[in-house]
Amino acid sequence: MSPATPAASAATADAAADRRAASPARRRVLETASALFYAEGVHAVGIDRIIAEAKVAKATFYHHFPAKDALVDAYVAEQFRFQREIAEAFLAEPGDGDPRAALVRIFTYMTEAGADPAFRGCPFVNVAAEYPDPEHPVRRTIAEHRAWFLDLMRRLLAAADDPAPDRTAGILLLLRDGLTVRCYLDDASNLRPVVEDTLERVLGAAPES
Amino acid sequence: MSPATPAASAATADAAADRRAASPARRRVLETASALFYAEGVHAVGIDRIIAEAKVAKATFYHHFPAKDALVDAYVAEQFRFQREIAEAFLAEPGDGDPRAALVRIFTYMTEAGADPAFRGCPFVNVAAEYPDPEHPVRRTIAEHRAWFLDLMRRLLAAADDPAPDRTAGILLLLRDGLTVRCYLDDASNLRPVVEDTLERVLGAAPES
Amino acid sequence: MSPATPAASAATADAAADRRAASPARRRVLETASALFYAEGVHAVGIDRIIAEAKVAKATFYHHFPAKDALVDAYVAEQFRFQREIAEAFLAEPGDGDPRAALVRIFTYMTEAGADPAFRGCPFVNVAAEYPDPEHPVRRTIAEHRAWFLDLMRRLLAAADDPAPDRTAGILLLLRDGLTVRCYLDDASNLRPVVEDTLERVLGAAPES
Amino acid sequence: MSPATPAASAATADAAADRRAASPARRRVLETASALFYAEGVHAVGIDRIIAEAKVAKATFYHHFPAKDALVDAYVAEQFRFQREIAEAFLAEPGDGDPRAALVRIFTYMTEAGADPAFRGCPFVNVAAEYPDPEHPVRRTIAEHRAWFLDLMRRLLAAADDPAPDRTAGILLLLRDGLTVRCYLDDASNLRPVVEDTLERVLGAAPES
DNA sequence: ACTAGCGGGACGACCCGTTTGT
DNA sequence: ACAAACGGGTCGTCCCGCTAGT
């Protein structure tokens, strides 16, 4: 073992992990798996199919992921990262920084994304449907995403002077979840007015300049 | 009675179907499968386990259900029937026929049911997560349930003189879906105030006598 | 036990057997099974399908046939009986009783029967392909048929003054088997000239009165 | 060599296919299956037994053959290849190139092979008995073998100055099929004189140089 | 004599996630 | 990076018994 200090050793390990995470083979596997898991479900997609479509060898796969569950976890974490990036983009957008407008933009985006025919609902909800154990790492990652989203709502609402940011944030989470389910299971078109109406009723009438 | 008349023959067929549906073996299978499917997911539960816990022979199972999918469909249909019975019970309750109170009772019930530690979310949403093909019989049954619920909301809202029953019904469906997801994935306690608040914002302030 | 003499008891048993053999349920089973076995093969057709298509209960089936093999045996025996009836019809036909003409008629009939699109080859050969054990009752029944046919040829050839009826009968059996295989596996049309030519070469030129 | 040229890429694919075909595991599977299929029939032999006797893992089997039918097809194709090799050996034999002698040698060989107690008839006929659909790949491979044999006979007969090679070839195919059936289902001993007699009658008297 | 249904256990083909040699 | 191995799992079908009812 290296005589380095724990910190250094951790840094070394991190660097190795980064190098592995950046491996093109690993990226291909994760991207292929993400697309398949989202489109068809986790249990329905086998390892063999993933490695075949990602064009990597089985050994390579197991070099990067100790087991299928780890891949599922990576898939969920990737989705989390992806959502966060989008949200941050929406926050940084129009210059001024009107938090209420940011909220509306986020939900408008979700409504539009849900209208995509390939939309299959919320990846977190779908994965959770296949992982009943709340202590499972995958479920913990999902819980992290939910906590993050709830906190994001809370911060935006506080900045928008909502009288009860905690409670309203909870309502917006309900809206988010309901919206993804609805876009997946029902006709996703013509949902914008419903969402706008809901936001108005929940946030109160728009502040008239 | 003559076996020649169509009515008699249809009645005979119905009777046969009823007898089969009422078969104790079939009931045992369906109940066992319902519990397992709900608690662990469809793909995660194998036929062998179902027949073992239901204590029926494999041949008996396949006598009643041509394939696993048919059992899943029966499971979903059973849940649908179950939900309908509950809703009807809530409609027929005391307090004359105040539709707004019925709505509140329904959502209050859902919130309480969601607090059960065994609550695993909406069975329809969870099954849909494992059945990507919207044309699949299982998905069609799920769609029927959603149409029924949306219509139920619409009728109650119209009876409660909601100014836009269609749109508000859509919002209540969002609330329902969001609520089940939330009860499953987050801390389900202390949700009653959030739901009550949401209903007030969505339905407008309670009519003060 | 009945105090009757063995002979009487045997007669009683025979009568009972006849009664059972004549049972309409049994007939339906045997006919259904014969059609299915011939068209799709023995192993490929399950008991359940036979009883379903014959519209009898499983217990009824097992009342008449101790096991599937017994049904297969009955199927083969039925085919044997059928072939014998046809041959006897051909022998008794045109009055005079020209044995050479009878031979030609038999092979002509086989050629025509083989041209039927539903023709699936010789049932005995096909069943034997699925029963490797020559001591199996089914195989014994098949052997009986072959012995009968060979003897029939021999008798007709002797009556037709063939110089070597034994050997020529063997050749005609080769022809029969080859013919059924050919009709099944190759284009069965335009086979008549080949058969006529073969018969001429085998039987020698037709006796010119 | 550049991987861009079609030829090289084709060669690579071929090499890969060859490597797979030459895999010892695959060879063991095919040889075991061939022996079992021939001796007991296709439907009567299960995958589990094949992989047990071939000492390969199930996954290995399914790595080489997508399904059992593919293995059956490989078995039939192997038999075809085998027959062709034998025939070519008989054509290239001593006695210069007398085509009539080659024909006689071929049928003599068949008669002798048929006398082997392990002889179970023609593999093609037996497999066809279990595959009723003439469009099935297995049946197509069988049809190829028959076309090849018929053509081989035709070419030899033409070279032997037969007056009607087409028709006589058809007769020899009848003889071939009849012979295999007979060797399987009847007493296969003392068949040589019958075959020799048949050939004489069919080919005409031997050319007395 | 016939039916409907249930039970039973072995076996059918095929796929699972995972590990190892090379 | 590939092939092979592994053992248990998937869903579904096999043939056959048995009971209860008519």
Side-chain angles (χ1 to χ4, degrees), chain A residues 44-84:
Chain A
V45 175
I47 294 287
D48 286 6
R49 183 146 162 241
I50 293 170
I51 66 164
E53 299 201 6
K55 293 195 194 335
V56 296
K58 207 167 252 189
T60 309
F61 170 81
Y62 278 100
H63 173 70
H64 289 294
F65 302 96
K68 190 190 184 184
D69 271 9
L71 175 60
V72 178
D73 200 17
Y75 155 59
V76 172
E78 180 91 338
Q79 296 298 315
F80 184 8
R81 219 172 46 87
F82 186 57
Q83 304 258 32
R84 212 155 28 183

Side-chain angles (χ1 to χ4, degrees), chain C residues 39 120 126 128-129 131-132 139 146 167-168 171 173-174 177-179 181-182 184-186 193 197-198 201-202, chain D residues 39 120 126 128-129 131-132 139 146 167-168 171 173-174 177-179 181-182 184-186 193 197-198 201-202:
Chain C
R120 263 256 305 156
N126 288 351
Y131 282 81
R139 284 290 298 276
R146 297 187 67 77
R167 176 160 305 177
T168 312
I171 295 177
L173 181 53
L174 289 178
D177 294 332
L179 194 53
V181 169
R182 195 142 155 69
Y184 176 30
L185 294 184
D186 305 323
D197 190 7
T198 311
R201 299 199 203 187
V202 167
Chain D
R120 263 257 305 158
N126 288 352
Y131 282 81
R139 285 289 300 277
R146 297 186 68 76
R167 175 160 306 177
T168 313
I171 297 177
L173 182 53
L174 288 178
D177 294 331
L179 193 54
V181 170
R182 194 142 158 69
Y184 175 31
L185 294 183
D186 306 322
D197 190 7
T198 310
R201 298 198 203 188
V202 166

Side-chain angles (χ1 to χ4, degrees), chain C residues 40-54:
Chain C
E40 308 188 15
V42 172
H43 278 79
V45 175
I47 295 286
D48 286 6
R49 181 145 164 242
I50 293 170
I51 68 165
E53 298 201 7

Side-chain angles (χ1 to χ4, degrees), chain B residues 95-146:
Chain B
D96 58 67
D98 177 358
R100 197 185 196 279
L103 278 174
V104 171
R105 276 200 304 267
I106 289 176
F107 277 92
T108 302
Y109 165 79
M110 285 172 63
T111 312
E112 276 161 9
D116 186 321
F119 187 75
R120 262 257 306 156
C122 169
F124 305 105
V125 170
N126 289 352
V127 168
E130 300 195 60
Y131 282 81
D133 177 8
E135 311 302 326
H136 193 286
V138 166
R139 285 289 300 276
R140 292 198 189 276
T141 306
I142 291 172
E144 281 175 32
H145 168 262
R146 296 186 68 76

Side-chain angles (χ1 to χ4, degrees), chain B residues 75-89:
Chain B
Y75 156 59
V76 172
E78 182 90 337
Q79 296 299 317
F80 183 8
R81 220 171 46 87
F82 187 56
Q83 305 257 31
R84 214 159 24 187
E85 276 173 16
I86 292 177
E88 276 157 19

